């Protein structure tokens, strides 16, 4: 009478160990790869394309202060790495990085810069503390201070900031004017209450 063969336990254990090893290798490999991709995504490019060519983001904020020297610097925050004042980490440098890297808004249109200022004024999209530029390198998150600094600007100063930013990123705005010119208003009817008359007054 034939005896039934018993399964060889060492062979089964070897296969199980091999399967577990392969599974861990795949899982850990994917995890490490994900971290690498995330790290690359968090490293913003130093240059961006504009209608006039490549623009160095790190240089634009300096030109803004050259043209608008009365703007607040807000560069009194301490660096996490050195413990010293990070003088080059300014309000405008953070505003530009917020506009480009956090909100991914175009740089050549005044309208988009107005949306960014509206965020600082608290009348547009909410600003998240953990994603605000500077929080990763400064000991104190500069968001609240930056919001107050923008809110203290008057309308003329905000308009000048918007025009300067759009002009630096796009010195030739005529080449990409996305806003059509307003139609010529029709003369009002004698009653003065026609919809056309009201529309013309609204455009004015």
């Amino acid at each position: 009478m034939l005896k039934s063969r018993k399964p060889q336990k060492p062979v089964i254990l070897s296969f199980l160990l091999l399967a577990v090893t392969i599974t861990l290798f795949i899982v850990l490999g994917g995890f490490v790869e994900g971290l690498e991709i995330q790290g690359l995504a968090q490293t913003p490019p130093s240059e961006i394309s504009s209608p006039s060519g490549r623009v160095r983001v790190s240089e634009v904020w300096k030109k803004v202060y050259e043209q608008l020297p009365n703007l607040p610097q807000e560069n009194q925050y301490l660096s996490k790495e050195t413990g010293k004042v990070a003088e080059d980490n300014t309000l405008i440098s953070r505003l530009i990085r917020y506009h480009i890297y956090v909100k991914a808004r175009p740089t050549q249109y005044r309208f988009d810069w107005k949306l960014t200022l509206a965020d600082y004024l608290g009348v547009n999209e909410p600003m998240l503390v953990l994603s605000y530029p500077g929080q990763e390198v400064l000991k104190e998150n500069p968001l609240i201070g930056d919001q107050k600094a923008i809110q203290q600007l008057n309308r003329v100063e905000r308009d000048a900031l918007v025009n300067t930013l759009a002009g630096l990123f796009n010195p030739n705005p005529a080449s990409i004017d996305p806003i059509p010119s307003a139609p010529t208003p029709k003369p009002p009817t004698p009653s003065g209450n026609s919809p056309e008359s009201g529309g013309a007054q609204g455009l004015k």
Side-chain angles (χ1 to χ4, degrees), residues 102-119:
V102 178
K103 304 308 293 184
R105 289 171 178 156
T107 58
Q108 62 266 41
Y109 303 129
R110 291 189 299 271
F111 177 75
D112 291 289
W113 288 107
K114 288 184 178 181
L115 288 179
T116 291
L117 289 191
D119 291 350

Side-chain angles (χ1 to χ4, degrees), residues 26 43 191 202:
I26 294 174
T43 304
S191 62

